[in-house]
Amino acid sequence: MAKKDQTTDAAREKDREKWMARFQVRLAMQPGVDRAVVLHAVKDVTAHCADTGEHPRTAFGDPDAYAVQAAARLVPTDRAARARRHDAAVDALDSVLKRAGDVAGL
């Protein structure tokens, strides 16, 4: 029986690690999110789960959806808007450069 408990615990820990990894990646992809925001959000999730014993999926749901919620809560609106404008400009420039390369046969 102890062997089964260890296997179950290992599987639960692996699932928790996968949830946290996906959450961190999705959070980092949100506009305006920097390292400090990711660290703050991870600390909040880790502390909550340590205090309650809950699995992050039970406490916070889908990691992708929670990443969007956490970014909206932790990133100032003006910084997120500025990051979206910057990303749009970079995407537009990339598109123009790609077309120019296609025309030039590069």
Side-chain angles (χ1 to χ4, degrees), residues 8-22 55-58 63:
T8 303
D9 290 345
R12 183 172 164 86
E13 180 62 21
K14 178 107 175 147
D15 188 47
R16 187 195 68 75
E17 289 173 4
K18 288 171 70 175
W19 190 98
M20 289 297 289
R22 183 164 182 111
H55 186 283
R57 184 173 307 282
T58 304

Side-chain angles (χ1 to χ4, degrees), residues 52-63:
T52 64
E54 286 182 294
H55 186 283
R57 184 173 307 282
T58 304
F60 302 102
D62 179 64

Side-chain angles (χ1 to χ4, degrees), residues 3-40:
K3 179 107 172 146
K4 183 166 176 104
D5 289 343
Q6 288 175 346
T7 303
T8 303
D9 290 345
R12 183 172 164 86
E13 180 62 21
K14 178 107 175 147
D15 188 47
R16 187 195 68 75
E17 289 173 4
K18 288 171 70 175
W19 190 98
M20 289 297 289
R22 183 164 182 111
F23 170 66
Q24 289 176 51
V25 168
R26 295 299 185 187
L27 181 59
M29 293 171 58
Q30 298 303 309
V33 170
D34 59 9
R35 184 173 184 268
V37 169
V38 173
L39 292 175
H40 181 92

